[in-house]
Amino acid sequence: MIIGANLPNMPWQDRPEGCKDPVWRYSNNPIVKRDQIPSANSIFNSAVVAKDGAFVGVFRSDDKCMEQHLFLAKSENAIDWDIEPDPLPLYNEKDECVGVACGYDPRVCWIEDRYYVTWCTQFEGYHGATIGVAYSYDFKKFYRLQDAFLPYNRNGVLFPKKINGKFMMFSRPSDNGHTPFGDMYLSESPDMEHWGYHHHVMNPTGWSWTKVGAGPIPIEIDEGWLLIFHGVGTTCNGMIYSIGAAILDKEQPWKVKYRCKPYILHPTEIYECVGDVPNVCFPCATLCDAETGRIAIYYGAADTVVALAFAQVDELVQYIKDNAM
Amino acid sequence: MIIGANLPNMPWQDRPEGCKDPVWRYSNNPIVKRDQIPSANSIFNSAVVAKDGAFVGVFRSDDKCMEQHLFLAKSENAIDWDIEPDPLPLYNEKDECVGVACGYDPRVCWIEDRYYVTWCTQFEGYHGATIGVAYSYDFKKFYRLQDAFLPYNRNGVLFPKKINGKFMMFSRPSDNGHTPFGDMYLSESPDMEHWGYHHHVMNPTGWSWTKVGAGPIPIEIDEGWLLIFHGVGTTCNGMIYSIGAAILDKEQPWKVKYRCKPYILHPTEIYECVGDVPNVCFPCATLCDAETGRIAIYYGAADTVVALAFAQVDELVQYIKDNAM
Amino acid sequence: MIIGANLPNMPWQDRPEGCKDPVWRYSNNPIVKRDQIPSANSIFNSAVVAKDGAFVGVFRSDDKCMEQHLFLAKSENAIDWDIEPDPLPLYNEKDECVGVACGYDPRVCWIEDRYYVTWCTQFEGYHGATIGVAYSYDFKKFYRLQDAFLPYNRNGVLFPKKINGKFMMFSRPSDNGHTPFGDMYLSESPDMEHWGYHHHVMNPTGWSWTKVGAGPIPIEIDEGWLLIFHGVGTTCNGMIYSIGAAILDKEQPWKVKYRCKPYILHPTEIYECVGDVPNVCFPCATLCDAETGRIAIYYGAADTVVALAFAQVDELVQYIKDNAM
Amino acid sequence: MIIGANLPNMPWQDRPEGCKDPVWRYSNNPIVKRDQIPSANSIFNSAVVAKDGAFVGVFRSDDKCMEQHLFLAKSENAIDWDIEPDPLPLYNEKDECVGVACGYDPRVCWIEDRYYVTWCTQFEGYHGATIGVAYSYDFKKFYRLQDAFLPYNRNGVLFPKKINGKFMMFSRPSDNGHTPFGDMYLSESPDMEHWGYHHHVMNPTGWSWTKVGAGPIPIEIDEGWLLIFHGVGTTCNGMIYSIGAAILDKEQPWKVKYRCKPYILHPTEIYECVGDVPNVCFPCATLCDAETGRIAIYYGAADTVVALAFAQVDELVQYIKDNAM
Amino acid sequence: MIIGANLPNMPWQDRPEGCKDPVWRYSNNPIVKRDQIPSANSIFNSAVVAKDGAFVGVFRSDDKCMEQHLFLAKSENAIDWDIEPDPLPLYNEKDECVGVACGYDPRVCWIEDRYYVTWCTQFEGYHGATIGVAYSYDFKKFYRLQDAFLPYNRNGVLFPKKINGKFMMFSRPSDNGHTPFGDMYLSESPDMEHWGYHHHVMNPTGWSWTKVGAGPIPIEIDEGWLLIFHGVGTTCNGMIYSIGAAILDKEQPWKVKYRCKPYILHPTEIYECVGDVPNVCFPCATLCDAETGRIAIYYGAADTVVALAFAQVDELVQYIKDNAM
Amino acid sequence: MIIGANLPNMPWQDRPEGCKDPVWRYSNNPIVKRDQIPSANSIFNSAVVAKDGAFVGVFRSDDKCMEQHLFLAKSENAIDWDIEPDPLPLYNEKDECVGVACGYDPRVCWIEDRYYVTWCTQFEGYHGATIGVAYSYDFKKFYRLQDAFLPYNRNGVLFPKKINGKFMMFSRPSDNGHTPFGDMYLSESPDMEHWGYHHHVMNPTGWSWTKVGAGPIPIEIDEGWLLIFHGVGTTCNGMIYSIGAAILDKEQPWKVKYRCKPYILHPTEIYECVGDVPNVCFPCATLCDAETGRIAIYYGAADTVVALAFAQVDELVQYIKDNAM
């Protein structure tokens, strides 16, 4: 059902007995603690991919100055991560270093011949957050391209292949603060630097009545694209970030075939409810095994740590369809 | 001192040794967990009454779509609750089903010959929250009446008998959001459908400087009505909902004889401080035994679970008088 | 087409040459200046009715302390008004004076055997604005009844006769400030003191995207009720109050048969655009002549003065139908 | 000094005696009144160009429903305008009509072989304002292209020729309301549909401390591009829109060579200070005569009418340099 | 009744016939237009004093960059003012120039042997508005002292003599924006540089429900100090600044003997209602003639121009007493 | 390196093995629980000093009415505190009791011959928070002086000796609410009652981007003053209070020699992240031993309890220098 590679060494735990939810947590969460590298105030909202039989990742760590950078990491089992102590340097196409990767909420996507990293960049000439883009052939040296969009924008998420000959990127237009609104859009590019044909994908509604944005790279399945996303509701004591799911049309992925009405994960554990930003589950990556249909979801918890959850693709797709809006 | 029925099988625990507070918590809180029914995101702010030697209740559960409904429940001991999996259907007086009970924060009150449920209803033709009213003779079939007031209103709480020939209902006029203000009012009705003679009862002040609204059905005592209510203060990190108490005049219950200056319960336990809305204790019902003067207070904690606390009526009344504003 | 009395001595000016608008202004506006009585800061948002061959009115004047009171006035021609220098005293049904009429935005309605005044009352025991009600048999002595609704409410406007045996009153539920929202509702009462059966009538939309509330007493016409109302939009420099029109069902007047999509009057004249609150046209009363179909609309301008405009009922009704939403 | 065509029949008045300002108003302002077409509430913020010895324009008119559309207009003298009564229809490249042009604040720019109209479009599938683009070869039939950017964006203004082989467009990223912030950016496109290489041009500062956005199409001069723009400051009574000027680098027009520290026009006349939005001067177009260096600036006043002002290019450029930040 | 010098050449107009107000406007207002000096955007909120048989003043002018400076001015008749084209330079006590006087809303006060200027200073090392202080023996060279208070503060107004051996200064503590609150305080200083004994004088109430601050230097009269002040109310369309009056205790001037309940001047004229900030009358200075009891009040109008009004001291004092709160 | 007394009996724990942070927590935190005295809702943000071989303190406790008072306490080991059950009474210099100490966030400072207490006082004649000052020779009877500054002000912190003959006090000017801004200032006084020469010390930046205020009494060290302070950042779910450090110039202590870019303590423990105000570490006092260079930091946690942390002066100073901005 998943169209993609097999990944038999991805992390996995079977569904706990008695649990009927479509997604369940790893029993030893969080997998990355807030202080795993010396400079870190917190490590969360991070992206991982399989590479050469092992795993690599781009991690968000806010340091004790509350500055936000991206860090490379590697792991044999995708659970225990070895994170670089220094932020990721970026290069231009003349091979000159143009500084380290400042910003937050990275995603990583393999397209055709290279890895692309997209993240939310800020405070660099522009006067607001927007989507940074860089690529690497080897996950060692990263070349920075033009930022994708005008500010204010967040949550740029690429598709793992071109559609109709174009790159496709989700984003969530924002404002210059904590943004009490936000729809998910999809844009097209012939060259990864000029973007147009901006399609509206999803509006905030139901449990995600405040804002909604893409999460991990969409997973190609038989009947379209499986999208895991974050949605936000607001109480008198602040925002709650939960995780939702939908299935998009394969050729016109701005068309939502099924949007799951209930959330699929919500902050209930102490490491999700207590931390720098209470009540946050924010998904940034998945690992999938096409053969077994296993999905591992990596999500930031409470803007403080990295946690892991699991789903079985057939069950999750069925759940989305059974509970579609 | 309590004027009412005996209820020897109500839940009870003696005051813990060393505790000098007028109200103390049940040692095994919360009594209802957030996921007790499969669809539930949370179960809280719920009302219970004694019936035929056992107990019935109307429970608020927000589902995983964050939609809010009322659910019937029953219990032998008023601690372990068997909650219906589906929301409560409502009927009109022609015995036609008019949908399920959408909304939140129910209260249940027996008056004369039937049970009345009042709750905060929303999103149904009206463009704002107001007070829904339904009645049942048997706690099986509920007939919906006209909503009591114009929006925006919340926390409609009935008196257990007519006063001067009229039904009496508290409410807390609100706005269309999280409402950073709110006084408690009392209104009169000859017929439970037309309301007038709106009396101001209590303003926000002291620990409840933001807003104040009625809680459980008032308890008739020798010298008036014992009112347990919620009050809200606001810090830089949001609102805190605590529980207060007052004694009202018996014939003119909009007159406050004694208003207890300190709160009687405040969020301090982990299940009150951590959850969908941190720092909330929200009382919706009591059970009382006239003979022993025992009171069991049911309150929602952190907008997530149901908890239970106890008081002895004579001590609580004395505490209110000793600490009156 | 107007169902009602003839009023041949009402003010009138023919439509100016070249004008194609459904409503046109009196050429000598404003008819009441801000300082017509010595204590006045401003005189505006006032109501007039015909009486005994002449005219009487209840005027809003804010004094130089910015306190808001109601004042009686009389006029031979309904243009030149003689306003009492002191606020209107109110009596209870024991004929005791209970103070003067504090508040704003009065309307006057003759029903069956007496005049009713409704207005927005504030700062009197209640802790927010709501609808005051008083009646008079002779327009000399006014008896105050219970306030109609719980706060926060404004723009209470009665129907000139009972419908299905009940009094009917519009209102616009509000909050405790300048209220950036507001729908029009209609409530029923058997006795002018207890109100229920609250119907939603109109939501803010189009040019009145912020809030919408009833204006003058509705005018009975062949095919229902002609309602003139105020609507409010918001720019980066504040609110604009314009005047709209609709036709309501005769028996179920909460049903809108036609709602005119364009406004019928908008602040464009200097006395409407400049004053204590710039850009306000706020209608509070009409005079009508059934035989000729003439309508005179009295409206407050810029929260500072009283102005007058005219319409022909058949043209206005046709305009509403031709431009219905 | 102006690089462009001669336009001897453009409107002109010499500087009034005694006036030392770099820009002066037309003595018969406003040139277009708010009610010049029957449906109009207001006509303002409009763009004009020379064509075939006469003049054409795209005008913004808000109708009495407060809906915003674009309207074609023509004029012999560029002062007295004949505005079409119906909104401008748009076509797709299959020559099918795709509706009328909804939105506001149009600009018109001739590039190479056709006229481009850009405007702020809203409420059309997207959930926020962004930049609409259409073109016409004859100013009769307009073909709509993809919207240029993701929402929320306003004030899209094209350059009159490609630079380094690319189309260039200013814009001012915004939020979903009245936007209390805003910088001017410049983006590049190979094809007028995909945009990238977003350059920051100007930040709010000085008299325009709230936001700043491009105005008319930039004027090519010997030493770069003469840019007239709007800037906004905020007082306790709302926003003030004034007009500023700058000179940009010719090849890298996101580089500001001189930014004039004082404004060049500010709301002081009654038609600029009183209207639907008081205190607004908003420039959308210029006409220029290369031979004489005359510039006529068309600007909306008070979001209500169209006004005209004049400048001499050499004086204005000198003023900018003498008063550069 | 006024304790002070005679000033027979001060400006004066008798009360207009029919006028019963305690204060009346000069018939040729405004006396200073917005563009009287070439650099000016506006000239308003300015202070004047008598000197050597003529008059001098410190004027606020905001230039076309919207930068705020103080300017010296002189006049033979106190109506026609000759304003310096350049801002006032300030010196330290070593006679070094320390820059020009940036800021706004100056007051001028003669105490013992010199003139003191106080004004609202901003953006100079401090990160918020506070009270600047300078003195001059000859009104030519001004020596700057330490700022009086911590930010955020505005409207520092001195008493014309020491009381109990100390300098006395009013101020209105503020925030870092347009400040929707504000009480008037009075502070004491032994040396004009260290301040303590901060007394609360007046709170916002009635027509000045938002904030209240001192205006001109208090006028010594037989029974205390006559204080003219500004007060601010807020409508849905912004703030209104009006002028009030009070009488303070002579020895303990923080004690209010009489506070006039109505305002004494309110924006009603076009030059007060239309301008950069509509609806502002802001008094900064008076001239008085002890013999005749004449008072001329200088006030800024609409944050744009300077206007003049008159009062007779005995009438004004009587009006305050007759209308005291 | 610390210039001051030896205090060998101060609390101490060595740095935990493996810990590399400059500050570490006491293993048995919190040292004072929220309910240690019967009336208390919470006890936090409190100040301690050594006295006569033991320790005394002034503690903040909010009672169950949420009223804030100061309480005296004493301790043999500075960990186990015996807190008075009743608030601290204050006297005037005539030895008359003037009430108990209302307010919050006390600091205690020995200067020359007596102890000074400074705290944030409110609701006492003044209409906003400011800095209360009292002194005691014996820590038994406290004499109240004039409040130091005009409202709105918080976090008044004295230096332990006069500098250039003047008392020195930090403060953080505020507004009338939760204050989303705030710089640290330093003021001078000849007499502890009149204050002037207000110097700006630190602005919000980096992790403390919202506001920044002084913490404990500065510690004199060889090269200046070691200042521990609180700084506040804001997320979508509220404010986070962390602890920072800096070194100030000895003679001109408003000059910051080194400001440590990272925080030195941040809320990560459950008692810091959960409570009445989640995510707060707020330092109010230190104890130091000059000989060993040991520092014990007392800080409030979550506005609920008192906690303790430790540092070694040489390491902390080095850390500040190594990580200076």
PDB file of all heavy atoms in Angstrom, chain B residues 126 166 173 193-195 197-198, chain C residues 126 151 166 193-195 197-198:
ATOM      1  N   TYR B 126     -28.433  29.740  16.857  1.00  0.00           N
ATOM      2  CA  TYR B 126     -27.898  30.896  17.560  1.00  0.00           C
ATOM      3  C   TYR B 126     -26.455  31.097  17.152  1.00  0.00           C
ATOM      4  O   TYR B 126     -25.792  30.173  16.696  1.00  0.00           O
ATOM      5  CB  TYR B 126     -27.933  30.680  19.066  1.00  0.00           C
ATOM      6  CG  TYR B 126     -29.263  30.968  19.672  1.00  0.00           C
ATOM      7  CD1 TYR B 126     -30.386  31.156  18.889  1.00  0.00           C
ATOM      8  CD2 TYR B 126     -29.408  31.059  21.047  1.00  0.00           C
ATOM      9  CE1 TYR B 126     -31.614  31.414  19.461  1.00  0.00           C
ATOM     10  CE2 TYR B 126     -30.625  31.312  21.622  1.00  0.00           C
ATOM     11  CZ  TYR B 126     -31.731  31.487  20.839  1.00  0.00           C
ATOM     12  OH  TYR B 126     -32.934  31.741  21.404  1.00  0.00           O
ATOM     13  N   LYS B 166     -41.813  31.048  41.466  1.00  0.00           N
ATOM     14  CA  LYS B 166     -41.086  31.104  40.206  1.00  0.00           C
ATOM     15  C   LYS B 166     -39.849  30.200  40.222  1.00  0.00           C
ATOM     16  O   LYS B 166     -39.200  30.038  41.254  1.00  0.00           O
ATOM     17  CB  LYS B 166     -40.638  32.539  39.932  1.00  0.00           C
ATOM     18  CG  LYS B 166     -41.758  33.479  39.550  1.00  0.00           C
ATOM     19  CD  LYS B 166     -41.144  34.743  38.996  1.00  0.00           C
ATOM     20  CE  LYS B 166     -42.140  35.833  38.716  1.00  0.00           C
ATOM     21  NZ  LYS B 166     -41.414  37.093  38.452  1.00  0.00           N
ATOM     22  N   PRO B 173     -23.511  36.029  32.183  1.00  0.00           N
ATOM     23  CA  PRO B 173     -23.409  36.633  30.852  1.00  0.00           C
ATOM     24  C   PRO B 173     -21.956  36.732  30.399  1.00  0.00           C
ATOM     25  O   PRO B 173     -21.068  37.062  31.197  1.00  0.00           O
ATOM     26  CB  PRO B 173     -24.046  38.016  31.049  1.00  0.00           C
ATOM     27  CG  PRO B 173     -25.015  37.824  32.163  1.00  0.00           C
ATOM     28  CD  PRO B 173     -24.337  36.848  33.094  1.00  0.00           C
ATOM     29  N   GLU B 193     -39.673  29.043  30.539  1.00  0.00           N
ATOM     30  CA  GLU B 193     -39.370  29.425  29.156  1.00  0.00           C
ATOM     31  C   GLU B 193     -39.252  30.943  28.972  1.00  0.00           C
ATOM     32  O   GLU B 193     -38.550  31.387  28.067  1.00  0.00           O
ATOM     33  CB  GLU B 193     -40.408  28.854  28.193  1.00  0.00           C
ATOM     34  CG  GLU B 193     -40.391  27.326  28.185  1.00  0.00           C
ATOM     35  CD  GLU B 193     -40.735  26.725  26.837  1.00  0.00           C
ATOM     36  OE1 GLU B 193     -41.853  26.985  26.343  1.00  0.00           O
ATOM     37  OE2 GLU B 193     -39.903  25.992  26.297  1.00  0.00           O
ATOM     38  N   HIS B 194     -39.962  31.713  29.765  1.00  0.00           N
ATOM     39  CA  HIS B 194     -39.815  33.166  29.712  1.00  0.00           C
ATOM     40  C   HIS B 194     -39.136  33.608  31.000  1.00  0.00           C
ATOM     41  O   HIS B 194     -39.577  33.228  32.084  1.00  0.00           O
ATOM     42  CB  HIS B 194     -41.182  33.855  29.586  1.00  0.00           C
ATOM     43  CG  HIS B 194     -41.915  33.489  28.337  1.00  0.00           C
ATOM     44  ND1 HIS B 194     -42.749  32.392  28.280  1.00  0.00           N
ATOM     45  CD2 HIS B 194     -41.944  34.059  27.108  1.00  0.00           C
ATOM     46  CE1 HIS B 194     -43.261  32.314  27.050  1.00  0.00           C
ATOM     47  NE2 HIS B 194     -42.793  33.300  26.325  1.00  0.00           N
ATOM     48  N   TRP B 195     -38.106  34.409  30.858  1.00  0.00           N
ATOM     49  CA  TRP B 195     -37.304  34.786  32.024  1.00  0.00           C
ATOM     50  C   TRP B 195     -37.228  36.296  32.164  1.00  0.00           C
ATOM     51  O   TRP B 195     -37.126  37.012  31.173  1.00  0.00           O
ATOM     52  CB  TRP B 195     -35.889  34.214  31.897  1.00  0.00           C
ATOM     53  CG  TRP B 195     -35.867  32.717  31.932  1.00  0.00           C
ATOM     54  CD1 TRP B 195     -36.033  31.888  30.877  1.00  0.00           C
ATOM     55  CD2 TRP B 195     -35.729  31.884  33.089  1.00  0.00           C
ATOM     56  NE1 TRP B 195     -35.987  30.575  31.287  1.00  0.00           N
ATOM     57  CE2 TRP B 195     -35.804  30.541  32.652  1.00  0.00           C
ATOM     58  CE3 TRP B 195     -35.549  32.131  34.457  1.00  0.00           C
ATOM     59  CZ2 TRP B 195     -35.701  29.464  33.526  1.00  0.00           C
ATOM     60  CZ3 TRP B 195     -35.436  31.068  35.319  1.00  0.00           C
ATOM     61  CH2 TRP B 195     -35.520  29.741  34.858  1.00  0.00           C
ATOM     62  N   TYR B 197     -36.826  39.664  35.555  1.00  0.00           N
ATOM     63  CA  TYR B 197     -36.403  40.015  36.911  1.00  0.00           C
ATOM     64  C   TYR B 197     -34.985  39.504  37.161  1.00  0.00           C
ATOM     65  O   TYR B 197     -34.750  38.649  37.996  1.00  0.00           O
ATOM     66  CB  TYR B 197     -37.389  39.443  37.943  1.00  0.00           C
ATOM     67  CG  TYR B 197     -38.711  40.175  37.953  1.00  0.00           C
ATOM     68  CD1 TYR B 197     -39.647  39.932  36.958  1.00  0.00           C
ATOM     69  CD2 TYR B 197     -38.996  41.131  38.925  1.00  0.00           C
ATOM     70  CE1 TYR B 197     -40.852  40.608  36.938  1.00  0.00           C
ATOM     71  CE2 TYR B 197     -40.211  41.810  38.914  1.00  0.00           C
ATOM     72  CZ  TYR B 197     -41.134  41.556  37.919  1.00  0.00           C
ATOM     73  OH  TYR B 197     -42.326  42.226  37.914  1.00  0.00           O
ATOM     74  N   HIS B 198     -34.086  40.050  36.373  1.00  0.00           N
ATOM     75  CA  HIS B 198     -32.699  39.604  36.416  1.00  0.00           C
ATOM     76  C   HIS B 198     -31.954  40.325  37.529  1.00  0.00           C
ATOM     77  O   HIS B 198     -31.806  41.539  37.492  1.00  0.00           O
ATOM     78  CB  HIS B 198     -32.021  39.888  35.075  1.00  0.00           C
ATOM     79  CG  HIS B 198     -32.797  39.380  33.895  1.00  0.00           C
ATOM     80  ND1 HIS B 198     -32.923  38.052  33.602  1.00  0.00           N
ATOM     81  CD2 HIS B 198     -33.515  40.030  32.941  1.00  0.00           C
ATOM     82  CE1 HIS B 198     -33.670  37.907  32.519  1.00  0.00           C
ATOM     83  NE2 HIS B 198     -34.043  39.085  32.097  1.00  0.00           N
TER      84      HIS B 198
ATOM     85  N   TYR C 126     -26.909  46.706  37.879  1.00  0.00           N
ATOM     86  CA  TYR C 126     -26.336  45.783  36.907  1.00  0.00           C
ATOM     87  C   TYR C 126     -24.915  46.215  36.619  1.00  0.00           C
ATOM     88  O   TYR C 126     -24.538  47.369  36.794  1.00  0.00           O
ATOM     89  CB  TYR C 126     -27.125  45.813  35.603  1.00  0.00           C
ATOM     90  CG  TYR C 126     -28.344  44.966  35.638  1.00  0.00           C
ATOM     91  CD1 TYR C 126     -28.836  44.460  36.831  1.00  0.00           C
ATOM     92  CD2 TYR C 126     -29.032  44.680  34.468  1.00  0.00           C
ATOM     93  CE1 TYR C 126     -29.966  43.679  36.851  1.00  0.00           C
ATOM     94  CE2 TYR C 126     -30.168  43.907  34.478  1.00  0.00           C
ATOM     95  CZ  TYR C 126     -30.632  43.405  35.676  1.00  0.00           C
ATOM     96  OH  TYR C 126     -31.753  42.643  35.688  1.00  0.00           O
ATOM     97  N   PRO C 151     -27.656  41.632  31.012  1.00  0.00           N
ATOM     98  CA  PRO C 151     -26.597  42.276  30.250  1.00  0.00           C
ATOM     99  C   PRO C 151     -25.765  41.177  29.547  1.00  0.00           C
ATOM    100  O   PRO C 151     -25.813  40.011  29.963  1.00  0.00           O
ATOM    101  CB  PRO C 151     -25.750  42.990  31.291  1.00  0.00           C
ATOM    102  CG  PRO C 151     -26.096  42.372  32.601  1.00  0.00           C
ATOM    103  CD  PRO C 151     -27.422  41.703  32.438  1.00  0.00           C
ATOM    104  N   LYS C 166     -48.167  37.857  21.907  1.00  0.00           N
ATOM    105  CA  LYS C 166     -46.993  38.212  22.706  1.00  0.00           C
ATOM    106  C   LYS C 166     -46.364  39.505  22.226  1.00  0.00           C
ATOM    107  O   LYS C 166     -46.359  39.805  21.032  1.00  0.00           O
ATOM    108  CB  LYS C 166     -45.951  37.101  22.608  1.00  0.00           C
ATOM    109  CG  LYS C 166     -46.318  35.832  23.370  1.00  0.00           C
ATOM    110  CD  LYS C 166     -45.069  34.968  23.457  1.00  0.00           C
ATOM    111  CE  LYS C 166     -45.326  33.613  24.028  1.00  0.00           C
ATOM    112  NZ  LYS C 166     -44.131  32.766  23.823  1.00  0.00           N
ATOM    113  N   GLU C 193     -42.327  41.587  30.840  1.00  0.00           N
ATOM    114  CA  GLU C 193     -41.317  41.484  31.901  1.00  0.00           C
ATOM    115  C   GLU C 193     -40.543  40.160  31.867  1.00  0.00           C
ATOM    116  O   GLU C 193     -39.395  40.122  32.302  1.00  0.00           O
ATOM    117  CB  GLU C 193     -41.955  41.692  33.276  1.00  0.00           C
ATOM    118  CG  GLU C 193     -42.531  43.099  33.424  1.00  0.00           C
ATOM    119  CD  GLU C 193     -42.462  43.639  34.829  1.00  0.00           C
ATOM    120  OE1 GLU C 193     -43.026  42.987  35.736  1.00  0.00           O
ATOM    121  OE2 GLU C 193     -41.855  44.694  35.027  1.00  0.00           O
ATOM    122  N   HIS C 194     -41.174  39.113  31.383  1.00  0.00           N
ATOM    123  CA  HIS C 194     -40.447  37.853  31.236  1.00  0.00           C
ATOM    124  C   HIS C 194     -40.317  37.583  29.745  1.00  0.00           C
ATOM    125  O   HIS C 194     -41.309  37.637  29.013  1.00  0.00           O
ATOM    126  CB  HIS C 194     -41.207  36.697  31.898  1.00  0.00           C
ATOM    127  CG  HIS C 194     -41.374  36.868  33.370  1.00  0.00           C
ATOM    128  ND1 HIS C 194     -42.437  37.561  33.924  1.00  0.00           N
ATOM    129  CD2 HIS C 194     -40.605  36.455  34.417  1.00  0.00           C
ATOM    130  CE1 HIS C 194     -42.319  37.552  35.248  1.00  0.00           C
ATOM    131  NE2 HIS C 194     -41.223  36.900  35.575  1.00  0.00           N
ATOM    132  N   TRP C 195     -39.115  37.264  29.312  1.00  0.00           N
ATOM    133  CA  TRP C 195     -38.836  37.117  27.892  1.00  0.00           C
ATOM    134  C   TRP C 195     -38.249  35.744  27.587  1.00  0.00           C
ATOM    135  O   TRP C 195     -37.457  35.212  28.357  1.00  0.00           O
ATOM    136  CB  TRP C 195     -37.861  38.210  27.428  1.00  0.00           C
ATOM    137  CG  TRP C 195     -38.453  39.590  27.539  1.00  0.00           C
ATOM    138  CD1 TRP C 195     -38.428  40.398  28.629  1.00  0.00           C
ATOM    139  CD2 TRP C 195     -39.191  40.286  26.536  1.00  0.00           C
ATOM    140  NE1 TRP C 195     -39.099  41.569  28.368  1.00  0.00           N
ATOM    141  CE2 TRP C 195     -39.574  41.534  27.082  1.00  0.00           C
ATOM    142  CE3 TRP C 195     -39.565  39.991  25.214  1.00  0.00           C
ATOM    143  CZ2 TRP C 195     -40.317  42.472  26.359  1.00  0.00           C
ATOM    144  CZ3 TRP C 195     -40.294  40.925  24.495  1.00  0.00           C
ATOM    145  CH2 TRP C 195     -40.666  42.152  25.074  1.00  0.00           C
ATOM    146  N   TYR C 197     -38.134  32.520  24.074  1.00  0.00           N
ATOM    147  CA  TYR C 197     -38.267  32.221  22.648  1.00  0.00           C
ATOM    148  C   TYR C 197     -37.435  33.222  21.827  1.00  0.00           C
ATOM    149  O   TYR C 197     -37.955  34.016  21.072  1.00  0.00           O
ATOM    150  CB  TYR C 197     -39.736  32.236  22.220  1.00  0.00           C
ATOM    151  CG  TYR C 197     -40.497  31.056  22.732  1.00  0.00           C
ATOM    152  CD1 TYR C 197     -40.939  31.011  24.062  1.00  0.00           C
ATOM    153  CD2 TYR C 197     -40.767  29.960  21.910  1.00  0.00           C
ATOM    154  CE1 TYR C 197     -41.620  29.915  24.551  1.00  0.00           C
ATOM    155  CE2 TYR C 197     -41.463  28.855  22.396  1.00  0.00           C
ATOM    156  CZ  TYR C 197     -41.878  28.839  23.711  1.00  0.00           C
ATOM    157  OH  TYR C 197     -42.555  27.742  24.189  1.00  0.00           O
ATOM    158  N   HIS C 198     -36.143  33.148  22.080  1.00  0.00           N
ATOM    159  CA  HIS C 198     -35.214  34.097  21.458  1.00  0.00           C
ATOM    160  C   HIS C 198     -34.850  33.611  20.063  1.00  0.00           C
ATOM    161  O   HIS C 198     -34.241  32.550  19.912  1.00  0.00           O
ATOM    162  CB  HIS C 198     -33.958  34.225  22.319  1.00  0.00           C
ATOM    163  CG  HIS C 198     -34.252  34.501  23.760  1.00  0.00           C
ATOM    164  ND1 HIS C 198     -34.767  35.690  24.207  1.00  0.00           N
ATOM    165  CD2 HIS C 198     -34.141  33.719  24.860  1.00  0.00           C
ATOM    166  CE1 HIS C 198     -34.932  35.644  25.519  1.00  0.00           C
ATOM    167  NE2 HIS C 198     -34.566  34.458  25.943  1.00  0.00           N
TER     168      HIS C 198
END
